Amino acid sequence: MASPTNGALERYKSAIATATSVVGAAMLLRRLVADVLPAGTPPLVGALLLLPPPSARRHAVVIEEFDGAFYNRVFLAARAYVSTLLAAAPTGAPPVVKASLPRGAAGAEQITLAMRPGTAVVDVFRGAEVTWRLSSHGSSGRRRADGGGGAGEAFRLSFDGEHKDLVLGAYLPFVMARVEAMARDRRQAKVYSNEWGMWRTVRLRNASTFATLAMDAALRQDVLDDLDRFLGQREYYERTGRAWKRGYLIHGPPGTGKSSLVAAISSHLHFDVYDLDLGAVRSNTELRKLLIRMKNRSILLIEDVDCASVAVLRREDDGGSDASSQQAPKHHKVTLSGLLNMVDGLWSSSGHERILIFTTNHVDRLDPALIRPGRMDKHIHMGYCGFGAFKELTAIYHGVDGHLLFPEIEALLREVAVAPAELAEKLLATDDADAALETAAKLLRDRKAGVEEEAGGGYVKQKLHVEATRPRRRLVPAPAPGRGVSAARRVGVSGRSGMRGRGRGRR
């Protein structure tokens, strides 16, 4: 016979099981109803059906540190973006964050902040609130040997379900683009030079910028507008089927800032510079291999292209071909056709966002086929220093915007051709602004009077590239009777060897 206690216990268990079934069915029904109701359902209807508010219905995207055996690029971008949120958010950020200085950073201004596992930070995008939460799954620095996930850290990006399309379609692409732009702005440009068919690299530090470059203000703005227009024409180049490249020919006398302009262009665009020495290229095949190894968003620079005989104007003097043109195929393994194919062919189609720059002191010596429109799209003439550029030099080096010597210097610059590098050298000779300006004015007065400097002239008088000279031949007397031709030849050889100790003559 069952006791009353056992009967009460059985009834209690039955009631608990029934209540559990009812609650489970209600929760399932509520979830089904919540999924069926449209997003614009009035809150009162949801309250009558005991539905949670829209803000309580959260979705999440998990971004793990590793994608198989490799780093997840989305995770790396998320970590960089969250660092900016931690630095900018006055409230809502974790009370404790990590700080680090990346390897190779230029200074303390590049210190990055990071969350500790278990903390979160809130971001708002187009009115939608999203939460970044970092969690840890084992060692953050260990890569799974079997190629599986689960090791390292992971971000959990949570948001309201009604913002799912916004987060996946707009917010995550925005984060990736923002981090890419930050990387371009922070990275230091590199300079590559070719050696034995390979590119060798060094970092470009303390490079010139357009703010520190002494050049005509209108010309500076014209170059900046052209560069910015080039960067924003991706759709135009794709629509027209043209290679996304642009060519610049920078020409002018020595010391007028051609190389500094190249550095300023690199700093403005955050492009690497590939400084190609055509004399070190052994064949057209090697030239093609070098160009294929170039990265996108880069500058190919050929300085003093007029010194490469492959690019020199082919002309006929005195009824015959120029001697250098006749001997070019024997002494230069890179041909003009190979150089032109580089400009128009393989190099143009093997990448995008590339700039080709030629610099020269003598534009009239270049072959017209090399600098025609379509290859060199824009010609930039870097002339002698004007008064506007001189004022920029004094402002940069000495912080001087006005001086008693300015009227005299302005008048002298209208009459005297002087390179900006010459004036910069005089301005940097002393920290005293008055003494530096007096030295610059003296240079202009002497140049106007035709007085040479003690050091032997400046950039205007100096030849940057001196052609190879031939030693003067010693006159050999006719062989005396009884002496053969071989003896005369021996005398001639000894005469030429004797000239080596006396230096080279001039042609």
Side-chain angles (χ1 to χ4, degrees):
M1 182 175 181
S3 63
T5 304
N6 291 337
L9 182 60
E10 291 296 331
R11 289 193 297 272
Y12 179 74
K13 289 182 179 179
S14 178
I16 291 296
T18 302
T20 302
S21 300
V22 171
V23 170
M27 293 179 63
L28 178 61
L29 179 62
R30 187 176 63 173
R31 171 56 63 184
L32 293 175
V33 172
D35 293 339
V36 171
L37 288 177
T41 302
L44 180 60
V45 176
L48 293 176
L49 296 175
L50 301 178
L51 297 177
S55 60
R57 298 194 290 271
R58 304 283 287 181
H59 289 209
V61 175
V62 177
I63 307 173
E64 296 183 342
E65 184 175 4
F66 295 106
D67 183 10
F70 303 96
Y71 280 102
N72 186 353
R73 294 178 57 192
V74 181
F75 177 88
L76 299 178
R79 183 168 59 186
Y81 180 75
V82 168
S83 176
T84 64
L85 296 180
L86 297 176
T91 59
V96 179
V97 296
K98 298 186 297 183
S100 62
L101 186 65
R103 181 179 301 176
E109 65 276 3
Q110 295 189 11
I111 292 178
T112 59
L113 303 179
M115 293 193 303
R116 301 179 62 186
T119 58
V121 65
V122 178
D123 189 22
V124 178
F125 178 76
R126 297 182 186 176
E129 187 176 279
V130 298
T131 302
W132 293 92
R133 181 175 295 276
L134 182 66
S135 59
S136 178
H137 302 285
S139 175
S140 61
R142 186 177 70 250
R143 186 176 299 183
R144 289 286 296 269
D146 57 358
E153 299 176 332
F155 277 109
R156 179 183 175 88
L157 177 63
S158 58
F159 47 89
D160 293 344
E162 59 182 329
H163 300 142
K164 178 180 178 180
D165 293 338
L166 177 66
V167 171
L168 299 181
Y171 181 64
L172 286 179
F174 162 77
V175 170
M176 298 293 292
R178 173 74 180 276
V179 172
E180 183 179 354
M182 290 165 46
R184 288 198 302 265
D185 293 340
R186 290 180 179 179
R187 73 182 296 271
Q188 290 182 338
K190 299 178 181 179
V191 176
Y192 295 82
S193 59
N194 58 305
E195 180 181 348
W196 297 105
M198 301 293 293
W199 291 113
R200 309 296 180 185
T201 177
V202 294
R203 291 192 179 274
L204 184 61
R205 299 182 182 272
N206 301 323
S208 298
T209 64
F210 280 101
T212 61
L213 184 63
M215 62 184 301
D216 181 72
L219 179 60
R220 177 193 293 110
Q221 190 59 45
D222 180 60
V223 174
L224 285 171
D225 293 342
D226 191 81
L227 293 171
D228 295 337
R229 184 166 53 252
F230 167 74
L231 287 183
Q233 289 185 320
R234 181 189 188 99
E235 295 181 357
Y236 166 77
Y237 284 98
E238 291 179 351
R239 186 178 68 255
T240 58
R242 298 179 57 189
W244 193 4
K245 71 175 183 68
R246 190 153 181 84
Y248 292 91
L249 175 66
I250 306 177
H251 59 96
T256 52
K258 296 184 292 296
S259 298
S260 298
L261 178 58
V262 175
I265 292 175
S266 172
S267 300
H268 180 71
L269 299 178
H270 302 285
F271 281 16
D272 291 335
V273 178
Y274 289 79
D275 188 2
L276 180 64
D277 180 8
L278 287 176
V281 181
R282 293 167 289 187
S283 65
N284 290 337
T285 302
E286 183 176 302
L287 177 62
R288 287 193 293 269
K289 291 180 179 179
L290 284 170
L291 300 179
I292 290 175
R293 297 189 184 107
M294 286 181 58
K295 299 178 182 179
N296 295 326
R297 299 181 60 84
S298 60
I299 297 172
L300 178 63
L301 170 64
I302 303 180
E303 287 193 298
D304 298 323
V305 68
D306 56 285
C307 296
S309 61
V310 66
V312 172
L313 177 66
R314 295 166 294 180
R315 61 181 182 270
E316 293 189 357
D317 297 329
D318 299 330
S321 299
D322 184 61
S324 62
S325 300
Q326 292 177 348
Q327 299 176 5
K330 298 180 181 180
H331 302 286
H332 297 84
K333 299 179 181 179
V334 177
T335 63
L336 180 61
S337 62
L339 192 59
L340 296 180
N341 289 335
M342 175 268 291
V343 176
D344 294 335
L346 181 63
W347 179 79
S348 299
S349 58
S350 62
H352 58 81
E353 284 187 286
R354 289 179 172 178
I355 290 179
L356 173 64
I357 298 180
F358 289 164
T359 69
T360 178
N361 299 328
H362 308 283
V363 66
D364 56 324
R365 296 182 183 178
L366 298 180
D367 196 303
L370 192 64
I371 59 175
R372 66 166 175 80
R375 288 175 178 150
M376 292 292 103
D377 303 290
K378 189 175 184 63
H379 293 202
I380 302 174
H381 176 66
M382 299 294 288
Y384 292 112
C385 188
F387 183 65
F390 178 79
K391 289 181 64 177
E392 292 183 0
L393 287 175
T394 58
I396 293 171
Y397 295 150
H398 295 285
V400 175
D401 295 327
H403 197 271
L404 294 176
L405 289 174
F406 274 9
E408 180 188 0
I409 293 176
E410 182 178 7
L412 288 170
L413 286 174
R414 295 195 189 101
E415 304 177 15
V416 176
V418 59
E422 292 184 276
L423 292 172
E425 180 183 358
K426 299 302 180 184
L427 293 174
L428 288 173
T430 176
D431 293 334
D432 186 349
D434 295 332
L437 286 170
E438 178 58 36
T439 304
K442 182 179 182 301
L443 169 67
L444 296 175
R445 297 188 200 106
D446 293 345
R447 187 64 54 81
K448 180 180 178 180
V451 178
E452 289 288 346
E453 296 180 84
E454 295 180 359
Y459 282 89
V460 177
K461 299 288 185 180
Q462 177 184 356
K463 275 190 175 180
L464 183 61
H465 300 283
V466 181
E467 298 178 353
T469 57
R470 298 178 181 176
R472 289 176 294 181
R473 299 183 61 183
R474 175 177 295 179
L475 296 177
V476 180
R483 299 179 62 181
V485 178
S486 59
R489 288 179 178 174
R490 285 195 297 271
V491 173
V493 172
S494 63
R496 285 196 298 270
S497 62
M499 288 296 294
R500 296 177 184 175
R502 300 184 182 182
R504 296 182 177 180
R506 293 185 178 272
R507 282 194 286 183

